[in-house]
Every structure is written in C-alpha cells, then in structure tokens.
Amino acid sequence: VEKVNAMASQGLRTLLLCYRDIPDASTRDWDEAPEEQMVFLGVVGIKDPIRPETRDAVLMLKKAGVIVRMVTGDNPLTAHFIAKEAGIIDGTEGPNALMEGPTFRKMSPEERAAVALDIRVLARSSPTDKLMLVREHKRLGEVVSVTGDGTNDAPALKEADVGFALGLAGTEIAKEACDIVILDDNIQSMARAVLWGRNVYQSIRKFLQFQLVVNVVAVTLNFISACAGVPLPLGAVPLLWVNMIMDSMGALALATEPPRMSLMDRKPFGRRAPLINRAMYRNIIGMSIYQLIVCLVLQFAGESIFNMSCFPASFGTNDDENCYGTTLQLNSMIFNVFVFMQVCNEINSRRIEESNVWSELHKSHLFCIIIVITIGIQALIMEVVGATQVGEKIGIVGVTGAMWGAALLLGFITFPVGYFIRLVPLEWCIGPLDEDVTQMSKFEKLIHFPQRKAPVFEDEEDESTSEEAGPVEEILKEKSAAADLGKSTESARRLIKLRVYVHAVAFVNVVQRSTTSNTKRIKDTLSENEIRAA
C-alpha cells in the first residue's frame, strides 16, 4: 500500500500484477476473475504526462476568471498531483478543494451546495457525480462548461451551458450531445474558444453602441426639424446611405476585428449581465448629445454662420421657391457633417471602456479598408452626384470648401469628445453594471430612479416551482396545463375558422363589386352607343 501511495503521489496510475495456478481452468465457467490466493508479482506505475501547453492554458483561463475543475476516476493522490502539475491547484484552496465522488454523492443537497463551489478536483468519481456537480453549479447561478469524450459523459455535456467534446478520442454520442467539438483534443483550444466568444460578445456591444448613436441623432434631428416647421435635413436617400453605413459596413467593420488578449484580463460576463451596460449608456448619451447639438446649430444657424445667400436650385427642381438652392445646400452640409461624425464615431466605438481607441488599429485591416471606402463613397456622393440633376432630385448638392472643412473638423472633434466622455465616472451615470444588475449609481439614487431587478429565466422559474410544489400540486399543475392546452387549441381552431370566413366574405364582396362595376360599365357603353346611333 505504501508503494502504491508513493507512486500515486508522483502522478502515476498504478497497476497490480499477480497470478494464481488453477487446475482445469479451461473447463470452468468463470463469472468473475478470482481475487483470492493470488501470487503477487509487482506494481507497475503508468505515467500519462500532460501536454506542455496545458499549464499555460489553465493559467490563462484562471486569469480570465474561469475556474477549472477536474473530475476524474483516478486515485485522489494521483488526481492531486496531476491537478497541481496542470495548475488547477496551487495550494491556496480550502479544505474542500479535493473530494472523492462517493463522499460528494452521499451529501445532502444543502451540504453539496455549501461545498460545490470550493471543489477543484473530484476524484474516484462516476459519470453520475459529474452530472450532479454540473447541476449543482447551474443551480447556484454559475455558467458551466463541460468537457468529455465518453458515452457516459453525454448527460453532463447536454446539461452544461456549453459542452465540449473531444474530436479525436470522443465517441459519436458525446459529439452529438455537445455544443462544440475540439478537433485537436487540446485544452488550449478551449482557451481560444473563450477568447473568441468574448470577442464576439464585445463586437455585438460595439455595434449596438455605434448603431444607437446614429439612430438617436437621426430620428431626434428630423423630429425637431419637423416640429419647428423647417425642411428635414436628412431626406430619404441620404438616410438610406446612412443606414448602409450603420448596418452593413458598420457591422462588418466592428465585427471583423481580431480578438485582443486583453479580453482575457477581465472577469467573465455573468448569466444576468445586460447587453447594454452602464458604460455603453454613458457613451451613447454623451456622443448623441454632442452630435445633436452640432446638427441643430447648423440647422437653425448654418445660413448665418456660412453667410449663405438666397439662390434658386441649379436645375430648376422647385421653381416656386427662390431660395430652394440655399435649403438644399444647407441640408447637404448637415448630411455631410453627420456622416463624418458617424465615421469618426465608428472608430470611437472600437472601445467601450478603454480611452485609447487607436490601439491595435493597424491589425484591423478590414476595418481600415471599410473606413477608407466609406469616406471615398461619401466624397463621390457629394462632389459627383451632387453636381447632377439626380443629386438635386434626391436632396444632395455640392458644398463649398468651408463647409468641407467644417465637416472634417466637427468629425475629428468626435475623438476628444469621446475621450472626455469616458473619463466620466460610472457612479454618475445610469444603467446596469455587468457585475451586479441591481446595483444603483449615485446619480440614479439622486434622481430616485426605480430599483432594477435581476432578470429571472424561465428554466429557473420552472425549477423553483417544481421544488416548492409537492406531488399532488405537480399532478394538478399538469392537468391544468393539459386543460389550458386543450382550450387554447380549440380557441386557435375557432380563430382560424373565423379568419377563413372573413377572408371568404371579403373575396365574395370584391368579386361582386367587380361584377357590378363591369355590368354598369357595359350598360353605360351600350347607352352611349345608342345615343351616338340616334
């Protein structure tokens, strides 16, 4: 036993070799191999070394706030050595860091909930213990990811939020039950998956931040102009081009940026983390205020600022208004300024909380290409299309050099404005935090903003209801749900019949009206022919 423990403490999987001479062994029907009266030969220690990159990958995951746990069937001593070698255990954990599967299995639900988050290694465990540990972590609100390769791992892979199956050593059942298949069976690939997942989530947030600023400013500007009784500065075709910048090219630019390793320096997003957090609200509101002030000043004081005189349209689009050319040029200038502010704000949207929006810009080749293409197309629209009758028809005409300089200057001012907006402390902004959705800021408390509540998911409601309800209540609930389902099905059938009937009546009315009108038209034609003949 001492030899076995010594080998296990060095990370070796031990195998005992022994034999027994049995006369007439070939004629016996063995249900189980004999384990008594054996002759001991020796103990063999088998070393299964971890990959050289495993420790670095585990440390990167721990730095990113991901807790790595090992569930294995090995001896506790062997499991402890491998976990320490891989960096899963570093000696700072509590007494419950290493636990055996049978011990965890025999605990009460309250005891399991108390120790589940402290476990780092679960040794001598079965697939049932693995599934039980996954369910306990999900019940405690954790986002759980599970790796597995065997058929017995399929329930745990299915139960987890994200299931990773091994592509080389994994069975087909495990691959079907998982969400992601690791082709090279390397934990470093899982770390890269976490990095790319965070990058995708961050890209969605960056695009939302950029898109909401465009929408808020465009809608508010046209609404205020309509209320003031002045022509809308952003017409239909200019808004379509802005929409292309915002949706297609903006999404392509912000979503194709390569992941940054700095994303692994922050804690993971929780299950209840908001899509638009407090920092995004701060950036959206601040940038929208700046752009709206600029556009409104140009809308109501642009003629006096640029000393614009009254002149008609070049191609006579509106001969009834002598100053229609001035209105077109003013609206074109506002459109040009608006577009350049969005282009610069697109660069601002590359970062949500960091102040340096230029970092690693040279690595985002597609982003830079899209920005250059957007500026080039905008210049062509203003100078080429604006000099034609088509441009005048769609509300775009050429602008002066001073107006071009104002558009470029006001666009570049977006960068210092964005920098100073990010310096505003989050305590004096509104919106939920990633860490705690319910935490209120000082500004929200000052204006008596309503207390936010943490979102409750449907599966959590179902679990809580099933835990509180007894067997009788569950049966009654199932019967009630079946009755409700029957009622809803019958109501749906009646509603479909009613809709069919309404459509049929409408079709008959249309046919009757068409027939009546045709008959009347024929009678009128005949009467006219009779009159002409007479």
Side-chain angles (χ1 to χ4, degrees):
V1 176
E2 293 180 358
K3 290 290 185 180
V4 170
N5 291 337
M7 289 183 177
S9 301
Q10 299 176 4
L12 300 177
R13 292 185 173 93
T14 55
L15 185 65
L16 181 68
L17 299 180
C18 57
Y19 75 96
R20 173 183 171 184
D21 291 329
I22 299 176
D24 302 330
S26 59
T27 60
R28 297 192 181 187
D29 187 11
W30 298 97
D31 294 332
E32 295 181 0
E35 297 182 358
E36 298 177 352
Q37 300 178 359
M38 309 291 290
V39 178
F40 176 73
L41 292 178
V43 179
V44 178
I46 303 174
K47 178 67 174 178
D48 187 9
I50 63 174
R51 297 186 180 185
E53 64 273 12
T54 299
R55 184 177 180 84
D56 295 334
V58 171
L59 293 179
M60 184 170 66
L61 289 172
K62 293 176 70 174
K63 183 181 178 182
V66 180
I67 300 176
V68 182
R69 294 178 172 89
M70 185 173 72
V71 182
T72 178
D74 289 336
N75 183 293
L77 297 175
T78 305
H80 182 271
F81 182 87
I82 295 175
K84 191 173 182 180
E85 187 179 14
I88 299 175
I89 291 180
D90 54 8
T92 61
E93 296 79 10
N96 296 321
L98 177 63
M99 186 173 293
E100 295 188 20
T103 305
F104 180 75
R105 194 184 316 139
K106 295 177 183 177
M107 288 183 173
S108 63
E110 293 78 12
E111 293 174 339
R112 283 199 297 267
V115 302
L117 297 180
D118 298 333
I119 294 176
R120 297 295 181 270
V121 178
L122 192 63
R124 294 191 188 278
S125 62
S126 64
T128 305
D129 301 330
K130 191 173 187 177
L131 178 60
M132 191 180 299
L133 184 64
V134 171
R135 288 177 175 173
E136 193 63 38
H137 279 92
K138 289 187 66 176
R139 194 176 68 84
L140 294 174
E142 297 291 313
V143 180
V144 185
S145 172
V146 172
T147 61
D149 57 356
T151 303
N152 294 331
D153 294 327
L157 291 171
K158 195 73 175 178
E159 182 70 21
D161 295 296
V162 181
F164 289 94
L166 304 185
L168 298 177
T171 61
E172 291 299 324
I173 296 178
K175 294 177 184 179
E176 291 178 1
C178 73
D179 301 298
I180 300 174
V181 178
I182 305 175
L183 299 179
D184 57 356
D185 294 3
N186 197 333
I187 192 174
Q188 198 170 29
S189 299
M190 285 184 282
R192 286 197 296 268
V194 172
L195 176 62
W196 275 97
R198 293 189 176 187
N199 185 64
V200 170
Y201 190 77
Q202 197 74 357
S203 298
I204 295 173
R205 281 187 160 184
K206 291 186 293 185
F207 173 65
L208 281 177
Q209 176 178 286
F210 171 67
Q211 185 184 44
L212 289 175
V213 171
V214 180
N215 285 335
V216 169
V217 176
V219 172
T220 308
L221 176 61
N222 276 359
F223 177 76
I224 294 176
S225 300
C227 292
V230 297
L232 300 182
L234 298 177
V237 176
L239 277 178
L240 286 175
W241 169 235
V242 170
N243 188 61
M244 183 177 293
I245 297 174
M246 176 183 65
D247 288 341
S248 305
M249 304 181 74
L252 189 62
L254 293 171
T256 54
E257 286 200 280
R260 299 173 288 118
M261 290 306 299
S262 59
L263 293 174
M264 301 295 284
D265 295 336
R266 61 175 309 280
K267 293 182 179 180
F269 298 104
R271 190 185 298 274
R272 295 175 174 82
L275 188 59
I276 303 177
N277 61 5
R278 187 175 297 175
M280 295 174 64
Y281 274 109
R282 176 193 61 189
N283 300 340
I284 292 169
I285 294 174
M287 189 56 63
S288 299
I289 291 174
Y290 163 71
Q291 294 188 8
L292 196 58
I293 290 174
V294 170
C295 292
L296 289 176
V297 169
L298 294 176
Q299 173 70 19
F300 295 101
E303 294 184 11
S304 59
I305 292 175
F306 291 94
N307 296 322
M308 299 174 65
S309 59
C310 180
F311 61 92
S314 301
F315 295 94
T317 306
N318 191 351
D319 296 332
D320 298 333
E321 188 176 346
N322 295 329
C323 297
Y324 189 64
T326 307
T327 302
L328 286 178
Q329 192 176 51
L330 179 63
N331 291 345
S332 300
M333 177 188 62
I334 296 174
F335 165 65
N336 199 29
V337 171
F338 181 79
V339 168
F340 274 95
M341 286 194 297
Q342 304 315 322
V343 171
C344 296
N345 187 45
E346 191 170 351
I347 300 176
N348 262 334
S349 299
R350 294 183 64 246
R351 300 291 181 265
I352 295 177
E353 298 184 12
E354 296 92 339
S355 300
N356 186 12
V357 298
W358 302 96
S359 63
E360 301 183 6
L361 182 61
H362 61 282
K363 297 181 181 179
S364 304
H365 304 294
L366 188 57
F367 184 92
C368 298
I369 293 173
I370 291 175
I371 293 294
V372 172
I373 292 175
T374 304
I375 295 174
I377 296 178
Q378 177 65 17
L380 289 175
I381 290 175
M382 295 301 298
E383 293 300 322
V384 178
V385 180
T388 63
Q389 188 175 2
V390 175
E392 192 171 289
K393 288 286 187 181
I394 64 178
I396 299 176
V397 297
V399 295
T400 63
M403 294 177 181
W404 267 108
L408 296 175
L409 178 62
L410 293 172
F412 278 106
I413 291 178
T414 302
F415 297 122
V417 170
Y419 175 80
F420 287 113
I421 288 174
R422 286 171 172 80
L423 295 181
V424 178
L426 292 179
E427 281 295 321
W428 294 101
C429 302
I430 64 171
L433 292 173
D434 290 333
E435 295 79 11
D436 186 4
V437 180
T438 61
Q439 183 178 349
M440 307 294 288
S441 65
K442 293 180 180 179
F443 180 72
E444 290 173 332
K445 294 178 181 178
L446 183 64
I447 63 176
H448 301 286
F449 196 83
Q451 177 65 43
R452 282 184 298 270
K453 296 182 180 180
V456 179
F457 302 100
E458 294 181 359
D459 54 351
E460 294 179 355
E461 292 180 352
D462 296 340
E463 289 179 3
S464 60
T465 305
S466 61
E467 289 177 359
E468 294 175 359
V472 179
E473 288 79 358
E474 289 182 359
I475 296 173
L476 293 176
K477 183 178 178 182
E478 291 177 359
K479 290 183 177 180
S480 176
D484 293 340
L485 180 61
K487 292 179 181 178
S488 61
T489 305
E490 184 64 26
S491 301
R493 290 175 181 173
R494 291 179 181 176
L495 183 60
I496 292 173
K497 291 179 180 179
L498 179 61
R499 288 180 177 175
V500 171
Y501 176 76
V502 170
H503 287 294
V505 171
F507 178 76
V508 171
N509 289 335
V510 171
V511 173
Q512 288 179 351
R513 289 177 182 176
S514 177
T515 305
T516 303
S517 61
N518 290 335
T519 305
K520 185 178 180 181
R521 192 180 300 111
I522 293 171
K523 289 181 179 179
D524 293 341
T525 304
L526 292 175
S527 60
E528 289 178 359
N529 292 334
E530 290 175 359
I531 292 172
R532 291 176 181 175

